[in-house]
Each structure stands twice: as structure tokens, then as C-alpha cells.
Amino acid sequence: MTDSAVRERTDPALARWRNAVFAVFALSGFVFANWAARIPNVRDILGASTQEMGVLILGMASGAILGLLTSSHVITYLGATRAIGWFLGTTAVGLTAAGLIAGLVPSFWALFAALMVLGAGNAVLDVAMNLSGAANERRVRKTLMPMFHAGFSLGTMLGAGFGALTEQLGVPVLVHLVAIGLAVIAADLYVVRFLQPAEEPAEAGAGTAAGWRSRLSVWTDPRILLIGLIILGMGFTEGTANDWLGLAMVDGYGLTNPGGAAVFAVFVTAMTAGRVGGGYLLDRFGRVPVLAGSAFLAFAGLLLVILGPTAPVAIAGTVLWGVGASLGFPVGMSAAADDPRKATASVAAVATIGYFAFLIGPPLIGLLGDQWGLRNAFYVVLVLVGVALLCSPAARPPKTAGAEAGTGR
């Protein structure tokens, strides 16, 4: 029996903590995917152009950047567990508000503000849940981060499938999004009870002036900056599919709105599969080879979506794209948390860099899509996949961290 198996059998609280982190990741993905699946319907309600939808989606990205810039300080003050509870609830409130606005008083800028709330809440939640997951991973001494992110993908898969079903059945956006928001708030209150503190003793004193300077100093660490570029490239790849794949299939291949939502569900299903198997691959081959292989698959899948002559070819490309995009974010987050003394600041820093993909991506793809079509706009994503590939050696763990956590080479 492995050391990690013994630890889980003798410490049920550790297993409950792991399961709770998995559930938080799943709830985060579920919230987002329910919104993403209704984007074509919201476009019809607003009568917005592709470029205007890019600006609208920018509301979520703008909120995310604001949340990330303050996340390390907020999480240091609240602790990761309390931050998860508060900000998972904030994302649910943002989703509920978006449903109310779209269904009752369709207003572009009011919906923009609601998406800012959703984005800000999810950004702080993202850092906090990754910190909790990394701390649990260190305690269990087994590669778990891809599985936690598989929870996010599972949540997006269920959310996308549920969203496609509501589209097919003609469920109003108001009823759909408000119901999901209220359900997530109830789940949040239950799940957070099983989380344990993620902070290490080495992070004590974070409220002092020295602590503030220490958190900011990670921005001068070349390794952290390169890991941030990995997440930037792979996050752009994932985010482009989240925001634009459904519309690209509708506008580029003539699918119906439910068909576009179904292809998005195919993408997140492929991501889920990649993350479920990711832990085994990382433990066997190490972070750098796995990241390089992931980038190659994402590149190939994107080309099929862009150049595919028929919808079935594009859907096959969507599968490769999803598998290829699956490990960039979790591996980057795990790498950033290798040093537990600076985990909060480092994870916040790389997440901030990565989330610029969600800030610049929607308007850029929307602008280019208006001019040349969404499929051609995806060529920009190929460049950023190449950047992630070139930076992949930075994810190699320091010798002490790699030996302790056993999370790859």
C-alpha cells in the first residue's frame, strides 16, 4: 500500500478535504458553463453583433482581473477556506443577476456589470481553490491537481449539457440562470464545512508590511513569470473555446444554437478526459514532456476546427483541442505552488498573468471575427500555444519541491 493510501485511510478528514476541493472546482465550472451555453441565446435577446458580444464577455474578464489583482491580499486576510465560501457565493450571485437582467430588463451595460461581479468572484475563488488543492496535494503526496481541474471540467461538462438541454426545451434564460445561481449558493454552504486551512506556517506574518513586500516580490521571479506565460497561452486556448466555440460552429458550420452548445459540451468532455488521465501521465513522464504534448494536440485540433471542410471534421478537432488544452492550467498552478512559503502570492501572480487571456481574448477574437470570421480569428490562438510550448521547461519542479511532492520532473 502506498504512503498516500495509508494517509487517506488513517485520516478521513484529509479525504473529505480532497473531495470538498473537487466539489468546489466542479461548482465553479458548472456556474461558468451554464452561462457560456446560453451566450448564443443572450446574443439573440440583445440583438448584439459578434464584436459587441466580445465587449460584453470582456465584462467578466475585467472583473476577473480586478479580482486577481487583489486576490493574494484578500486571501491572506480571510484565509483560503473563508475566501472559497465567500467568493463561490459571489459567482452565484453574479450568475443570478445575469439571468434576471437578460430575462426581465435586457440591458447591455447592466449585464456587463453582472458579468463583472461573476468574473471578480470567480477570480478570487480560482486562486483560493487552487491554493487549497495544492495544500491537499502536498499533504497526500500524490499528483492531484489535474484531478481537481477535472472536477472543474466535469462541472463545465454538466453545465454545458444542461445548458444545451435548456436551449432545446426552450427554457427561458431567466428561469435557467436564476435556478442555477440559487442551487450553487446552497451547495456552497454545505461543501466549505469540509475544507481545512491551506496556509503554511511559513506564510505567517503576511499581514505585516514585510508580508506585503514578499507577496509583491514574486513578480520579479523569472520562473514565476514564465509559468504565467504557460498559463497565458493555454488559458487563451481554453478560454477561446469557452467563449467562441459555440458561435464558431453556428456561424462557421451552419449548426443550430443547440448544436453549437452540444459541440461546446464535446470540448469540455474531452478536457475532462485529459485531466482525469493527467495525473498518471505527469507522474510517469514529468511536467515538461506532458505540457509539450498537450500543446501539440491543441495546435492540431485548432487547425482542424479552422480548416476543416465539414462539421464532423471540426468536431474531431474539438476533441483534440479539448485534450490538448486540459493540462496547461492545472500544471501551471501546481508549479506555482511548489514553494509553500510563497504559494499564495505565486499562484495569484501566475493566475493574474494567465487571466489576461480572458481580458484580451474576447474583444480580440470578436474584432477579428467580425472582419475575417471566427474560424480565421482562431489563428491568433495558435501563436499563444507556441509561446506556452517554448516556456514549458519552466514548469519543472525545483529538486527539493519535486522530491517532496512527487509531482513530476
Side-chain angles (χ1 to χ4, degrees), residues 60 78 108 117 133 157 162 164 182 198 201 232 370 374 381 385:
M60 185 183 298
L78 292 176
F108 184 92
V117 173
M157 182 175 67
F162 190 74
L182 295 177
L232 175 67
D370 255 2
L374 282 174
V381 187
V385 172

Side-chain angles (χ1 to χ4, degrees), residues 278-345:
Y280 169 79
L281 294 175
L282 288 164
D283 283 337
R284 179 166 183 179
F285 300 108
R287 288 175 182 167
V288 177
V290 171
L291 279 176
S294 297
F296 176 80
L297 289 178
F299 193 97
L302 272 161
L303 281 179
L304 289 177
V305 171
I306 295 168
L307 301 175
T310 64
V313 173
I315 293 171
T318 297
V319 174
L320 295 179
W321 184 357
V323 173
S326 64
L327 294 178
F329 217 91
V331 172
M333 288 293 187
S334 188
D338 278 337
D339 184 352
R341 299 169 302 171
K342 299 180 179 180
T344 301

Side-chain angles (χ1 to χ4, degrees), residues 2 70 99 105 118 150 154 183 192 214 236 278-279 283 288 293 299 302 311 349 364 388 391 400:
T2 65
T70 59
V105 285
L118 197 162
L154 178 62
V192 295
S214 175
F236 197 104
D283 283 337
V288 177
F299 193 97
L302 272 161
L364 178 60
C391 295
T400 54

Side-chain angles (χ1 to χ4, degrees), residues 28-46:
S28 176
F30 189 69
V31 168
F32 172 78
N34 274 279
W35 156 253
R38 302 308 295 263
I39 288 175
N41 191 265
V42 170
R43 179 185 65 172
D44 295 342
I45 291 173
L46 297 175

Side-chain angles (χ1 to χ4, degrees), residues 42 156 169 187 270 312 322 330 355:
V42 170
T156 59
L169 297 177
Y355 264 78

Side-chain angles (χ1 to χ4, degrees), residues 91-159:
T91 65
V93 169
L95 183 71
T96 302
L100 290 170
I101 293 166
L104 297 178
V105 285
S107 166
F108 184 92
W109 292 110
L111 192 55
F112 184 96
L115 292 178
M116 282 193 70
V117 173
L118 197 162
N122 192 65
V124 180
L125 172 65
D126 199 352
V127 175
M129 68 188 187
N130 274 284
L131 283 169
S132 191
N136 184 262
E137 186 178 59
R138 288 194 298 270
R139 292 275 299 278
V140 174
R141 298 186 181 181
K142 180 181 179 182
T143 300
L144 293 174
M145 196 65 83
M147 185 60 70
F148 291 141
H149 283 258
F152 179 88
S153 295
L154 178 62
T156 59
M157 182 175 67
L158 294 174

